[in-house]
Amino acid sequence: MKLNDLEKAMLEGDRGPATRKAMEILVQLGDIYGAERMVPIRNAHMPGASVVVTGKAGARFIDDVAGQGGRFTVPTMLNPAACDLRDGEQSDFDPALVALQRTMTASYESMGGIACHTCIPYFLGHAPLAGEHVAWGESSAIAYCNSVLGARTNREGGPSALAAALAGRVPLYGYHLDENRRPTMVVDVRVPIEDVVDYGTLGYFVGKQSVNAVPAFVGLPSAHADGLKMMSAALASSGAVALFHVAGVTPESPSEAELKAAGLPRVSYGVDEARETAALLDGAETADVDFVVLGCPHASVLEIRECAELLNGRRVHADVVMWLAMPLPFVALAERAGWARVIREAGVRIITDTCPVLGAFGPLRERLPHGVLATNSAKLAHYAPGKFGASVHYGDAASCVAAATTGRWQGGA
Ligand code: F3S
């Protein structure tokens, strides 16, 4: 791989041992994937931000990198942590784990990391422009970044995202190159896609059809950001999809005529496919519900408001636990708007900094007498059986709130 003078100097240690190690990792990656050169990045999003993922050894490694003088050279945000880091919000968490998480977060911050601890950094101003190169981890955010923002990232893991943030560059391969960003299949959407849960079901269906594909969706004329957030998470869960095209949304999306001329394989998504996919995700056999989770990916402002409207004047059933997960800055907004009061008075716990999958909530299964979780997230429905040993009811936010307040699943929309 060709390196410029600055890159050679970093590799020789001119910027200290942490940056030298980062460059060694990036050069190795570039050699493995046949990159000809490096490309500067606009920003990074760090996936290894939960000590549940990194373990003690990973947390020590981050501490060492910070101790060696490692400093991020581009804006870098952190993915969800293992626990809620607000004072007084740690009742569910092992104190030793909270201490370890606080230390790792502080190490990231000392390198310049922004401790938003969210999987939707793009709703917090961490939104690169179309065509810009970035280094992002977190599968749902990667798909959104490539497909909705039109920026360019590979699927970065913890070490490669860390190296990229330190060196401010990545090797030029994979989704950074035009030739790997073209659609490989077309999805004809023949059913109305309106609620965010519709987007998640569609994404889950398409991911199951073809792993690692670059699907192009036609028939989504009024796609909205919250729906595409949910679809990104679902596509990444069922099919490891890192990039998709939606006509009128994805900046580089070919026209329908160009897609037709390319003669790509086509998949149709109609009423039957939507019903079958929702049934696949809605696998619980009992109507009793123990645990309801909204906010995977973390809830947007509009989703928080919708949740408050659905809960207004209602109360979560005594045998049910309900969580709403959101980015920390949105908690402040929810407080000001009065939504947080409505949500809390209904008995719902507002979770921030963490999430059900990356959080260290302990043996949750033991606290679910019926072993049933309800959610509007296809991603969480996909992971809940493995993570919690729970079976799942899957439907829109209104169905989930109805289940939370009655303790019974009454069918999802
Ligand atoms: Fe985000 Fe956690 Fe869901 S990282 S997409 S809330 S599993």
Side-chain angles (χ1 to χ4, degrees):
M1 187 167 34
K2 282 191 205 122
L3 299 181
N4 63 27
D5 289 346
L6 171 62
E7 289 157 356
K8 283 181 195 157
M10 288 195 287
L11 190 58
E12 281 158 18
D14 283 18
R15 298 258 173 115
T19 307
R20 184 186 61 218
K21 186 73 202 156
M23 282 300 292
E24 286 170 4
I25 292 171
L26 297 172
V27 167
Q28 263 182 14
L29 270 176
D31 287 344
I32 290 168
Y33 290 103
E36 288 180 4
R37 63 181 174 88
M38 301 268 182
V39 63
I41 54 170
R42 170 66 71 185
N43 65 38
H45 182 67
M46 197 62 59
S50 161
V51 293
V52 167
V53 176
T54 63
K56 276 189 193 157
R60 251 197 320 270
F61 174 72
I62 300 298
D63 201 34
D64 287 348
V65 174
Q68 289 168 9
R71 295 293 175 268
F72 297 147
T73 57
V74 292
T76 301
M77 276 206 183
L78 307 183
N79 213 40
C83 58
D84 196 323
L85 289 165
R86 292 171 299 169
D87 290 338
E89 296 287 344
Q90 275 105 42
S91 55
D92 272 355
F93 303 102
D94 171 12
L97 175 132
V98 174
L100 186 64
Q101 180 66 60
R102 283 196 190 286
T103 302
M104 189 168 82
T105 296
S107 298
Y108 274 127
E109 286 185 293
S110 75
M111 291 192 272
I114 300 166
C116 263
H117 281 310
T118 182
C119 53
I120 57 165
Y122 44 85
F123 281 179
L124 300 176
H126 199 57
L129 302 177
E132 289 186 333
H133 297 273
V134 298
W136 282 28
E138 167 49 39
S139 61
S140 65
I142 291 164
Y144 193 97
C145 178
N146 275 320
S147 316
V148 182
L149 305 180
R152 299 181 169 212
T153 183
N154 282 324
R155 275 188 288 258
E156 303 294 356
S160 64
L162 182 69
L166 289 165
R169 60 207 63 239
V170 289
L172 189 65
Y173 71 93
Y175 293 112
H176 292 284
L177 297 171
D178 289 347
E179 61 262 37
N180 299 320
R181 297 182 62 87
R182 297 185 188 117
T184 59
M185 65 185 284
V186 177
V187 183
D188 288 307
V189 182
R190 299 180 185 281
V191 66
I193 304 293
E194 287 158 3
D195 190 89
V196 293
V197 78
D198 301 330
Y199 284 84
T201 311
L202 169 61
Y204 200 77
F205 167 80
V206 173
K208 279 228 164 276
Q209 301 302 305
S210 187
V211 173
N212 278 327
V214 181
F217 292 86
V218 295
L220 281 177
S222 52
H224 53 81
D226 286 348
L228 294 167
K229 162 172 83 82
M230 196 64 99
M231 191 162 92
S232 298
L235 278 159
S237 314
S238 61
V241 170
L243 165 65
F244 59 87
H245 292 241
V246 174
V249 172
T250 309
E252 65 212 274
S253 181
S255 66
E256 282 196 37
E258 286 166 332
L259 286 172
K260 210 171 205 170
L264 298 171
R266 295 188 91 94
V267 174
S268 181
Y269 183 79
V271 175
D272 290 345
E273 288 79 10
R275 193 186 306 117
E276 283 161 21
T277 308
L280 189 69
L281 290 162
D282 182 27
E285 286 178 2
T286 170
D288 293 308
V289 169
D290 308 303
F291 185 30
V292 177
V293 181
L294 299 179
C296 172
H298 276 179
S300 71
V301 169
L302 296 183
E303 289 174 310
I304 298 165
R305 184 178 69 176
E306 181 195 22
C307 187
E309 286 169 357
L310 289 166
L311 285 161
N312 197 6
R314 300 165 88 178
R315 177 97 203 139
V316 171
H317 190 276
D319 298 332
V320 178
V321 171
M322 180 171 170
W323 291 351
L324 174 62
M326 65 183 76
L328 181 63
F330 293 179
V331 179
L333 180 59
E335 305 277 6
R336 172 173 289 178
W339 306 327
R341 181 184 50 75
V342 171
I343 290 166
R344 289 200 187 100
E345 281 179 5
V348 176
R349 181 167 172 192
I350 291 175
I351 301 278
T352 192
D353 292 327
T354 187
C355 84
V357 172
L358 295 175
F361 289 97
L364 203 58
R365 175 69 183 84
E366 289 166 16
R367 288 183 274 156
L368 307 178
H370 305 97
V372 178
L373 175 150
T375 185
N376 67 344
S377 164
K379 175 174 178 176
L380 185 56
H382 178 84
Y383 286 113
K387 169 85 181 172
F388 306 124
S391 55
V392 174
H393 278 306
Y394 173 75
D396 64 8
S399 306
C400 291
V401 167
T405 53
T406 62
R408 303 276 296 170
W409 187 252
Q410 290 144 26

